[in-house]
Amino acid sequence: MCDPTTGVYLLMTVIFLVIAGWKTLAFLRGPTATLALMATAFFVGGIVYAMASPAGYRLLGEQFGQPRIATLPIYIGILACYADTHILTLLWTPAQDTPRSQVRRTVALWITAYGLAITAMCVVFLHANLDGPADPLRFNTQQADDRNVLVFLAILLVVLACGTLNTWQRSRRAEIANPQVRHALRWFGGSMLVTFGYVLCSAPAIILAAFGHQELQILGVVGSYFGILGCLGTCYGMTGAAFTAWLRERRDSVALQPLWQLVVGDVDTGLMYSPTSAKPHIWGAVRVVLTRRIIEILDGIRTVQPWASAEVVAAVHELNQSALPERELEVIITAAVLRDAAAQYQASLEATRPAAEQGLAARAAGVLPGLGTAAQDERARLVRVARALPHPLVEAALQLTATTRSAATGGSAFEESASGHR
């Protein structure tokens, strides 16, 4: 039984420490109290799971010459982790009309309660008379015949019950506008209710064991798995929304690559913040890279904007036989206009067009849709434009525009424009 249990606990150790490292990096990029609390909770939780595994428990006992000494830091660490989650919930869920001073007082009272509980647990544990086999999963029932151990466990279960239920209650009632915080609280609440299952399983097993009955010992062991499930829920609550956002940023960064290449890479490398801008950057600090990419794309669009042509817009409208929704049609027009403008820009560099002709193109720059898009909506708009670049209607509109220009100029413009579109 010990081997699989050790594997499960060490897996939890790895999960917690990886998340702790992730939150620490995020804290270093933008220090906040929330990220500090999260990083601390996951680091402490990882250490606790390492010590609580049967192998880690025995190793620590051998190092200190006390087979059960690991129980004290394990249980204090458990209480500290849930206290951390509870404090986060208190900070996130005050009513709108609650003064900040009252929130601080509430947080201070709970911190004091947790501090007193941990101090009392240390005192009674160090005065306990422990004997018998050192089994971390059965400590609660094997040592329940000692009065100091009973007080130690009673403090743990009472404080854990109060903290988890208060967190669940606040999470359930909270009305939060921020979707990431709302996501975290929803999972906090559920995971705290699951963790309360540890209390429900442990309490009757300990009470019977105190009277010499070990029939419910296995129930106490089952309770530890409620704790594991609760921790997994908390992990997802603290990381799920952020990880999902990271995946969306990574996806959008990749999706924007063709548009970036069109209006930056193929237009003017001087628009790049650094030579690394040409790489997709799908790992690491994706948000920073994505923000930089959007800025570079917008700079590139401003560079080719004077070559935007109303002819392309007219061609799209002429070829649009399927009554596309206005939003989709605008994206297709933008993609077609940008492809044509980038080609015309390149042609102007090669042919050194007269300034008067450039001035005529500049007066047509207002045909480019989406220039008034709000900053918070630019990312979504540009991603849609990037995905529309190879759209069949875009290709057809560019071909029609090239044909129209060829007819007007006797063929040379067609060859030039078609070459640029390809």
Side-chain angles (χ1 to χ4, degrees):
M1 181 176 178
C2 288
D3 288 342
T5 302
T6 295
V8 171
Y9 275 54
L10 292 182
L11 176 61
M12 293 296 294
T13 299
V14 172
I15 292 173
F16 268 65
L17 293 181
V18 167
I19 296 175
W22 179 19
K23 295 299 181 182
T24 300
L25 290 175
F27 173 81
L28 294 175
R29 289 195 298 268
T32 65
T34 296
L35 287 172
L37 286 170
M38 287 183 177
T40 301
F42 281 114
F43 179 76
V44 172
I47 300 301
V48 165
Y49 270 110
M51 293 188 297
S53 66
Y57 192 88
R58 288 193 300 269
L59 179 61
L60 200 61
E62 292 170 1
Q63 293 295 321
F64 285 89
Q66 297 288 340
R68 301 161 202 85
I69 191 64
T71 302
L72 181 61
I74 288 170
Y75 282 26
I76 289 175
I78 290 171
L79 204 55
C81 285
Y82 283 100
D84 194 303
T85 304
H86 188 192
I87 298 306
L88 270 175
T89 306
L90 293 174
L91 293 173
W92 278 342
T93 58
Q96 292 183 353
D97 56 348
T98 304
R100 294 302 299 174
S101 58
Q102 183 176 334
V103 176
R104 287 193 293 268
R105 283 196 300 271
T106 302
V107 170
L109 285 173
W110 276 103
I111 290 175
T112 302
Y114 283 116
L116 291 173
I118 289 172
T119 301
M121 287 171 64
C122 290
V123 171
V124 295
F125 183 88
L126 294 175
H127 286 82
N129 183 22
L130 306 176
D131 57 10
D135 186 340
L137 298 180
R138 290 176 169 79
F139 175 89
N140 293 357
T141 51
Q142 287 178 345
Q143 308 298 325
D145 57 346
D146 185 277
R147 182 176 301 175
N148 287 310
V149 171
L150 277 178
V151 175
F152 172 81
L153 294 174
I155 295 171
L156 171 71
L157 295 181
V158 169
V159 177
L160 190 61
C162 293
T164 54
L165 291 179
N166 187 261
T167 303
W168 168 70
Q169 183 184 43
R170 284 179 170 270
S171 300
R172 184 170 59 91
R173 295 180 177 178
E175 296 181 2
I176 304 296
N178 187 310
Q180 290 196 13
V181 175
R182 188 168 61 248
H183 168 94
L185 286 173
R186 185 168 59 249
W187 279 87
F188 279 5
S191 64
M192 291 302 111
L193 201 58
V194 171
T195 301
F196 184 65
Y198 170 80
V199 177
L200 294 179
C201 291
S202 298
I206 292 169
I207 292 171
L208 279 183
F211 290 98
H213 302 283
Q214 296 291 330
E215 289 83 358
L216 294 182
Q217 187 180 77
I218 190 64
L219 184 62
V221 175
V222 170
S224 65
Y225 288 94
F226 277 98
I228 292 175
L229 291 175
C231 285
L232 288 174
T234 303
C235 285
Y236 185 74
M238 289 191 183
T239 63
F243 183 67
T244 301
W246 181 85
L247 287 177
R248 287 196 299 266
E249 290 160 1
R250 178 178 178 271
R251 177 201 64 196
D252 289 353
S253 183
V254 173
L256 286 172
Q257 181 69 16
L259 181 58
W260 182 93
Q261 188 63 41
L262 176 70
V263 299
V264 178
D266 294 341
V267 168
D268 185 356
T269 56
L271 297 171
M272 297 190 300
Y273 276 66
S274 71
T276 61
S277 293
K279 300 178 181 179
H281 289 287
I282 58 176
W283 303 106
V286 178
R287 179 171 299 176
V288 175
V289 174
L290 177 60
T291 302
R292 186 178 68 185
R293 172 152 294 180
I294 290 171
I295 294 172
E296 291 174 347
I297 288 173
L298 292 175
D299 287 343
I301 290 175
R302 280 190 288 270
T303 300
V304 302
Q305 181 182 342
W307 282 264
S309 173
E311 293 175 308
V312 181
V313 180
V316 173
H317 283 295
E318 182 178 341
L319 294 168
N320 179 29
Q321 302 297 327
S322 56
L324 293 173
E326 182 178 349
R327 183 181 181 185
E328 185 178 350
L329 184 60
E330 180 180 297
V331 168
I332 290 173
I333 290 173
T334 305
V337 169
L338 287 177
R339 283 186 58 178
D340 178 72
Q344 297 303 312
Y345 173 84
Q346 290 293 343
S348 73
L349 295 180
E350 296 170 5
T352 315
R353 290 186 178 182
E357 187 176 348
Q358 294 185 20
L360 290 174
R363 286 198 292 274
V367 301
L368 186 63
L371 295 180
T373 303
Q376 66 268 22
D377 299 326
E378 279 289 13
R379 171 180 157 190
R381 181 181 77 92
L382 293 178
V383 167
R384 291 195 299 271
V385 171
R387 289 173 175 160
L389 289 175
H391 194 281
L393 185 53
V394 172
E395 298 286 353
L398 293 178
Q399 289 296 326
L400 178 58
T401 301
T403 302
T404 302
R405 288 173 181 164
S406 176
T409 60
S412 60
F414 171 80
E415 296 173 1
E416 177 186 319
S417 182
S419 175
H421 293 153
R422 285 195 296 269

